[in-house]
Amino acid sequence: MSAQVHNEVIDFCVQILGGHGYMTEYRVSRARISARVAKIWAGSNEVMKSLIGRDLGLRPLSAPFHIHVQSQGR
């Protein structure tokens, strides 16, 4: 979550600065690169958490229950 917020703030700063936001002389440009790496790293951490949780037999938080629909035997 923090990596996502970091990217949103940096994107806003780059929009304010325009072309200067892409020039490496400015801190925003370096922060943009750092934010991009943080976003990738956070995503890989989330994948690893999901894999470890699955291996431990845990359910993901996004789906706390399973709905099973029985078919009608026609």
Side-chain angles (χ1 to χ4, degrees):
M1 183 67 168
S2 64
Q4 180 181 352
V5 173
H6 188 197
N7 272 289
E8 290 174 7
V9 170
I10 294 298
D11 286 343
F12 183 71
C13 292
V14 168
Q15 287 178 5
I16 289 173
L17 292 174
H20 294 296
Y22 291 98
M23 297 175 68
T24 57
E25 293 86 15
Y26 291 90
R27 287 183 177 180
V28 174
S29 176
R30 294 188 298 267
R32 185 178 54 85
I33 294 167
S34 175
R36 179 74 177 151
V37 171
K39 184 177 181 181
I40 294 168
W41 183 256
S44 63
N45 283 342
E46 290 300 315
V47 169
M48 289 305 296
K49 286 179 189 177
S50 293
L51 293 175
I52 292 168
R54 186 187 67 194
D55 290 346
L56 293 174
L58 302 175
R59 292 184 293 191
L61 292 176
S62 61
F65 56 88
H66 177 71
I67 299 175
H68 179 72
V69 179
Q70 292 180 330
S71 62
Q72 301 290 333
R74 291 182 186 214

